[in-house]
Amino acid sequence: VSVFDKLRGKKPTFGVVGAATTPVSTSASTQPPPRTIKPAEYGLPPRAELINKVAEPHPLTVAALAAVERRDTGAIMGVIDTAGSDWERRHALVSALASRAEEDDSWLQTWLAAEPDNPIALSAYAKTLSTTAFAIRTASRAEDVASDQWEAFFRVLRQAPEHCLHAAEVAPEDPTPWVVLQTIAQGLQYDNDEYRKVFGEVVSRAPHHVHAHAAALSYWLPRWFGSDELAESFVNAATLGRPAGTLLTHLRLEWFYFERIPKTAEDRADFYHGPEVQVAIDEALADLRAASSDRPAYPTQRHWLAYFLTQAGRYAEAYDMFRQIGPYYGSWPWALAKDPVSRFTGTRAEAVMGWEDAGRPPLPGAATGDPQPTGDPEPTER
Amino acid sequence: MRRIFHALTVIALLVGFYVLCLAILAALIALDIVVTKADASTPALGREVAIAYLLTAVALYVVVRGVFVSTRVRHRHIVGVIVTDRDEPALWERVRFLARAVGTRAPSRIYLVPDVNAAVWENAKLLGLIPGRRSMMIGMPLLIALTPAQFDAVIAHELGHYGNRDTRLGALDHRARESVMAAVAAAQGRLTGRRSADGKPRRFRMPGQAVYVVVFRAYAQLVLSVTQQASRRQEFAADSVAAGIAGQANAAAGLRELPAVEAAFNFYLDRYVAAGVERDLLPAPGEVLGGFARLLAEPSRQADLDPLRHDPTAEAPDPYDSHPPIRDRIAAIEALPPDGRPLDTSDARALSTLADPTATMAAVGARMLVGNGAGKQPVDWDTLATAAGADRAARSADPLRVAVASFYQQPRPLSGFLDAVDAGQLGEILDRLPKSDGAAKVKATTRAARELAKTSMLPMVAAWALAELAAQGRVRWRNSWADAAGEIDLAPDLDEKLQAAIDALAAVQPDAGPMRAVVYAMGVPA
């Protein structure tokens, strides 16, 4: 749209962008359970100590961010080299670098000016353009986004792909620029075939890249540029016939969450207790057990499992999962709620009380020698 | 019998108005006398005496003004030209024919005025009971817009007020209404039309003035309620006379046309004639009204007016209007027995009745500019559109200009803004721009907020650049009757370069160079 059109009184028009995520409300957030727990009595951190992160930051992330503080790009590259060809870790590091440029990207611009061909700086810069654009758009539904938001969103986002492509050119073995491009492509409304090409560039370099698969699932949802069938076949392709330990199994839980949860409470209970969900949970648990806890997607898998185990009434396993999660709640599915902390604590309380009601069955973690909780045997009143 | 009773009621109301005014004065003077006497016996009452005198003085001023004003309500300040039989024989012939058809005396004077209005009035004497000279005003916009048959209907309606013998008494009603309304206006201090520096009507109030406004207004309400029904009955009667002469279909169409013509004319004056006023530019006298004819000839404008014709309810409801709503009048005409006479759908307009339409439009146009045209230069429409376009561009850029001035703590030209961009300080200017609706919804990072602000900034930069180019004579606007903003007339290569310069500023890492190259191709002015 020409800026002169504004002078002529024309409003810019944009193509339809699918609605963003609309969290499914559950009883946990809308109707707090009448009973509650004292988390400390169950070895769980209290609400006031919860942290809006997926998990404790990885040492390499800590080192990379410290290097940013010192404006020591050599040290940043040293951290990247340590990650080596662990492409998921590399992507996580690039994302962390990008998040450090959300408020002020001058350090990144300086770095890029000094090293215009540095693939890490290029990918991180593309990623900050992407997060800035989506911050402008907000997660509101398309019809609630103002026209100037759309205009700025597209203007910023359209400047991002060139940096990804440049990075891919100078680091042809690294899938990271392509993973970054996935989200940008979704924002820029790439059609299905164009998107498949981008995703293909990722999986030809990193076949099990969890973040890339999660981004692709979002693209294939009916609300964006896919359909029920395309989303389901993507989930099947991503999860079926893979070795345990890929951490891709939570994609099925995510897909359930977005597309399959019934509207009424009764149907929901049937659904969560039904065989489909039970099998998906069992597969995700097996996947988690087989995976290295060092993987960036490991905590994410735990968060999804904690949610689904609670909903499915598998309270002992759910409680155990919450104990592993600790104080961290900055992940889907909690982050999809209007009030993520309440969603997290509400679900956690439900798991603990369910465990109490079941007569405190042994926790799965007991076998591994984790300490058992010593709390008050009766749930306390609020 | 009923009419005589009505007339007597109205006369009583008029006389009563003067009596009311006198009674107020008499009461206050009596009060003055009482306090003055009391003052003589009790010297401590000095303040009360002063207050009583002051109140009397205010009353005297307001009441005398009200009465004085009310007795000199005359159609004396008509902006228009008088046309004689010799000037406009065909028009006079038409008016006389219509008067004969209505069965009344033709006016002895015709004014052509630049308003969407037509009226006949009579300077009747003895409160409207003795006939006087009859005058008519005809709005040029109506001549321009109406078909001959619609015009006949409108004029026949006006003459119809005199044809059915209510009129002399109707004039009495009219006078009574105008007198009390003028008194209310005088008491409110609105009559002079003087405005204070900020453009609002002066609102200086004398002590006690509000009381008279209330009293006069209450009295006016009484007069209005007494005369309203009779007035409306007369309007319907005049409409039926008009339908009899011009044909039912044309009379109805003429009524539908009036709100459309009024809206179009107001739009035209506002957006075209007044567009260059800030630069002391006006259209040539012949074009002041000639342009209106051109605007009406534009098909898209006709399409814009259609909804007003189909649903003429948009007129502001005025409780003091003697006319029934146009919708009701149209319904009444359409409810008459069908007369089988066709709707005039020709392209002919009543303007062709005039001997020399162009010259007459110029004469009335020149009369319109008297008092408004002082120091203003008549120019062609494209020049006017260019001046207006440049002003509009400059105004569009105002928020950015203000932000830049706030950044430098003094006003700077576009080059100052470009300097700031080069110095990497665009962000600080963006932070000073007013927040958009979108920005209010986004709880964003600094960068996101700035990029969002940039979206509203880009058209401002473009506008600022256009204003600069206009000042250099490198961009012009073409007048367009379909679009009041006109069409930007920019050389294709300049258009392209300007767009590229905007894009360079739009980049996340903005570059002011291309804009500097485009706007200051001839050097930065000192």
Side-chain angles (χ1 to χ4, degrees):
Chain A
V1 175
S2 158
V3 287
F4 299 114
D5 285 347
K6 280 216 157 170
L7 292 174
R8 299 180 183 122
K10 287 178 196 157
K11 283 192 173 169
T13 51
F14 293 97
V16 174
V17 173
T21 53
T22 40
V24 177
S25 82
T26 69
S27 59
S29 70
T30 54
Q31 294 166 337
R35 299 182 307 170
T36 186
I37 58 162
K38 284 184 177 164
E41 291 167 3
Y42 296 93
L44 298 171
R47 187 182 174 110
E49 289 170 21
L50 297 182
I51 300 168
N52 189 8
K53 285 183 178 162
V54 182
E56 188 182 351
H58 191 273
L60 288 183
T61 303
V62 174
L65 294 182
V68 170
E69 290 307 307
R70 300 193 307 272
R71 304 289 186 260
D72 183 348
T73 53
I76 296 173
M77 291 314 290
V79 174
I80 297 291
D81 289 344
T82 310
S85 63
D86 179 352
W87 303 125
E88 285 184 336
R89 179 54 55 201
R90 186 182 282 234
H91 174 264
L93 288 170
V94 165
S95 296
L97 293 175
S99 73
R100 200 39 64 95
E102 267 171 27
E103 278 298 329
D104 176 9
D105 65 344
S106 54
W107 66 270
L108 187 49
Q109 300 226 22
T110 309
W111 186 14
L112 264 180
E115 296 180 56
D117 292 330
N118 185 309
I120 298 303
L122 285 164
S123 291
Y125 187 58
K127 182 77 186 170
T128 67
L129 293 180
S130 171
T131 50
T132 298
F134 279 94
I136 292 167
R137 187 205 176 282
T138 69
S140 305
R141 281 181 302 189
E143 60 266 32
D144 297 331
V145 177
S147 66
D148 65 328
Q149 286 174 274
W150 281 125
E151 207 179 321
F153 171 73
F154 285 118
R155 182 166 46 72
V156 173
L157 204 55
R158 270 195 289 263
Q159 298 177 46
E162 55 181 287
H163 302 292
C164 293
L165 299 177
H166 187 181
E169 214 177 280
V170 290
E173 72 293 347
D174 186 352
T176 307
W178 297 103
V179 181
V180 173
L181 185 57
Q182 276 184 268
T183 307
I184 296 163
Q186 186 169 346
L188 293 178
Q189 309 177 7
Y190 280 28
D191 69 27
N192 289 178
D193 286 339
E194 291 172 305
Y195 190 86
R196 281 191 188 98
K197 272 181 72 182
V198 174
F199 185 65
E201 297 285 355
V202 178
V203 291
S204 68
R205 293 168 173 84
H208 302 302
H209 200 296
V210 175
H211 187 92
H213 281 79
L217 172 57
S218 169
Y219 177 92
W220 292 115
L221 291 179
R223 72 191 64 182
W224 284 90
F225 303 105
S227 65
D228 282 327
E229 296 72 34
L230 287 166
E232 180 164 16
S233 65
F234 176 80
V235 169
N236 286 338
T239 55
L240 300 180
R242 303 261 183 163
T246 61
L247 295 175
L248 287 168
T249 44
H250 73 268
L251 292 187
R252 187 174 296 279
L253 303 180
E254 196 175 315
W255 173 59
F256 284 158
Y257 182 91
F258 280 120
E259 300 299 329
R260 300 287 303 281
I261 296 183
K263 294 237 180 321
T264 70
E266 197 176 320
D267 290 347
R268 260 202 304 278
D270 287 348
F271 171 74
Y272 282 122
H273 291 83
E276 203 179 11
V277 170
Q278 296 300 332
V279 169
I281 288 174
D282 288 338
E283 280 178 357
L285 282 169
D287 195 15
L288 186 71
R289 277 193 295 272
S292 156
S293 63
D294 194 47
R295 298 266 304 280
Y298 191 88
T300 313
Q301 179 106 351
R302 282 203 296 219
H303 286 290
W304 278 106
L305 273 167
Y307 180 80
F308 270 83
L309 284 166
T310 309
Q311 301 299 330
R314 292 165 65 164
Y315 297 121
E317 293 157 285
Y319 172 31
D320 181 53
M321 205 55 71
F322 276 111
R323 290 176 62 222
Q324 293 179 42
I325 286 170
Y328 301 100
Y329 72 95
S331 167
W332 284 6
W334 328 113
L336 294 166
K338 242 187 197 141
D339 179 355
V341 181
S342 295
R343 172 71 61 85
F344 178 81
T345 55
T347 309
R348 190 176 66 171
E350 195 182 332
V352 170
M353 288 182 296
W355 175 72
E356 288 284 4
D357 290 349
R360 302 176 142 231
L363 299 183
T368 64
D370 282 355
Q372 291 287 309
T374 56
D376 185 331
E378 285 303 309
T380 51
E381 294 294 316
R382 193 190 290 272
Chain B
M1 191 63 205
R2 215 180 72 185
R3 273 181 37 205
I4 291 173
F5 178 73
H6 174 75
L8 290 175
T9 311
V10 175
I11 290 169
L13 280 171
L14 257 180
V15 172
F17 181 64
Y18 298 119
V19 170
L20 174 71
C21 293
L22 285 174
I24 291 171
L25 282 180
L28 280 167
I29 289 169
L31 177 70
D32 292 345
I33 293 169
V34 169
V35 279
T36 308
K37 279 188 174 163
D39 186 41
S41 50
T42 335
L45 276 177
R47 223 182 62 181
E48 283 73 4
V49 174
I51 290 172
Y53 282 11
L54 180 66
L55 284 177
T56 312
V58 169
L60 203 64
Y61 175 77
V62 171
V63 168
V64 166
R65 217 167 108 95
V67 171
F68 176 68
V69 161
S70 69
T71 53
R72 55 152 225 211
V73 170
R74 297 278 190 278
H75 293 266
R76 273 165 51 184
H77 305 291
I78 295 170
V79 175
V81 295
I82 295 178
V83 287
T84 64
D85 203 353
R86 245 185 313 167
D87 297 333
E88 299 292 352
L91 179 68
W92 272 96
E93 179 51 42
R94 198 70 203 155
V95 169
R96 288 203 186 99
F97 164 79
L98 292 168
R100 269 197 309 279
V102 171
T104 189
R105 188 157 53 93
S108 56
R109 180 179 278 181
I110 296 180
Y111 298 87
L112 293 181
V113 298
D115 301 319
V116 183
N117 196 5
V120 178
W121 71 97
E122 199 171 295
N123 285 339
K125 298 187 178 67
L126 192 66
L127 299 172
L129 292 171
I130 297 173
R133 184 171 61 195
R134 194 172 281 184
S135 306
M136 169 176 264
M137 69 160 82
I138 299 171
M140 288 296 292
L142 294 178
L143 285 167
I144 291 168
L146 299 182
T147 66
Q150 289 168 346
F151 177 73
D152 284 356
V154 169
I155 299 301
H157 170 95
E158 295 305 323
L159 291 165
H161 285 308
Y162 292 83
N164 55 11
R165 292 180 192 285
D166 292 321
T167 313
R168 251 175 271 154
L169 295 176
L172 183 62
D173 281 11
H174 187 68
R175 162 173 296 276
R177 298 160 76 90
E178 290 221 325
S179 296
V180 290
M181 290 308 297
V184 171
Q188 284 174 335
R190 283 198 280 111
L191 199 77
T192 57
R194 263 183 307 190
R195 278 156 195 278
S196 55
D198 61 357
K200 287 184 181 155
R202 277 173 197 270
R203 280 278 153 185
F204 171 72
R205 283 280 168 84
M206 286 176 290
Q209 194 180 355
V211 176
Y212 301 106
V213 174
V214 170
V215 170
F216 285 2
R217 202 180 266 166
Y219 202 88
Q221 283 292 354
L222 181 65
V223 172
L224 290 176
S225 66
V226 168
T227 56
Q228 186 89 328
Q229 247 199 327
S231 304
R232 295 199 160 192
R233 218 168 35 235
Q234 285 173 32
E235 293 295 332
F236 284 123
D239 280 339
S240 106
V241 169
I245 287 166
Q248 193 176 8
N250 292 309
L255 279 183
R256 287 189 187 282
E257 203 61 30
L258 291 179
V261 178
E262 176 151 27
F265 193 59
N266 286 338
F267 176 82
Y268 166 74
L269 289 180
D270 186 41
R271 304 296 291 277
Y272 286 90
V273 178
V277 165
E278 285 169 31
R279 298 241 178 145
D280 289 338
L281 301 178
L282 279 174
E287 283 300 312
V288 176
L289 287 166
F292 184 54
R294 290 181 220 274
L295 178 86
L296 289 179
E298 172 65 41
S300 66
R301 294 298 190 194
Q302 286 296 330
D304 290 344
L305 293 175
D306 274 340
L308 279 175
R309 294 179 177 118
H310 293 308
D311 186 19
T313 54
E315 57 181 333
D318 181 356
Y320 304 132
D321 193 350
S322 62
H323 287 76
I326 278 197
R327 205 175 33 177
D328 296 358
R329 293 172 60 194
I330 292 168
I333 289 174
E334 284 171 348
L336 293 170
D339 61 8
R341 292 167 65 185
L343 181 67
D344 178 359
T345 53
S346 69
D347 285 338
R349 291 292 176 264
L351 189 67
S352 59
T353 317
L354 299 183
D356 183 348
T358 311
T360 310
M361 284 197 288
V364 179
R367 182 74 182 82
M368 250 174 116
L369 299 185
V370 170
N372 294 313
K376 294 190 176 61
Q377 192 192 346
V379 293
D380 62 55
W381 286 113
D382 285 348
T383 304
L384 211 56
T386 297
D391 280 341
R392 204 170 39 247
R395 265 199 310 278
S396 305
D398 265 350
L400 180 58
R401 207 191 300 270
V402 169
V404 170
S406 142
F407 174 73
Y408 283 110
Q409 302 196 326
Q410 59 173 317
R412 294 293 298 269
L414 179 61
S415 59
F417 167 73
L418 299 176
D419 291 344
V421 173
D422 282 344
Q425 286 162 320
L426 174 59
E428 280 156 68
I429 290 172
L430 288 170
D431 291 347
R432 291 163 202 258
L433 281 177
K435 296 279 168 283
S436 71
D437 290 351
K441 282 197 274 178
V442 178
K443 271 175 74 178
T445 59
T446 310
R447 287 181 62 207
R450 285 177 174 181
E451 288 300 335
L452 195 49
K454 205 189 261 182
T455 300
S456 33
M457 179 206 76
L458 292 172
M460 296 179 200
V461 179
W464 202 348
L466 282 177
E468 295 261 350
L469 291 173
Q472 299 168 18
R474 294 165 68 198
V475 57
R476 285 184 60 80
W477 277 260
R478 274 187 301 271
N479 185 63
S480 159
W481 296 113
D483 182 354
E487 289 157 9
I488 295 177
D489 187 3
L490 201 60
D493 66 313
L494 192 54
D495 195 347
E496 225 167 79
K497 280 184 197 160
L498 200 49
Q499 189 60 59
I502 297 290
D503 290 346
L505 283 167
V508 172
Q509 295 175 59
D511 181 2
M515 183 60 84
R516 199 185 300 280
V518 172
V519 176
Y520 299 110
M522 301 166 186
V524 181

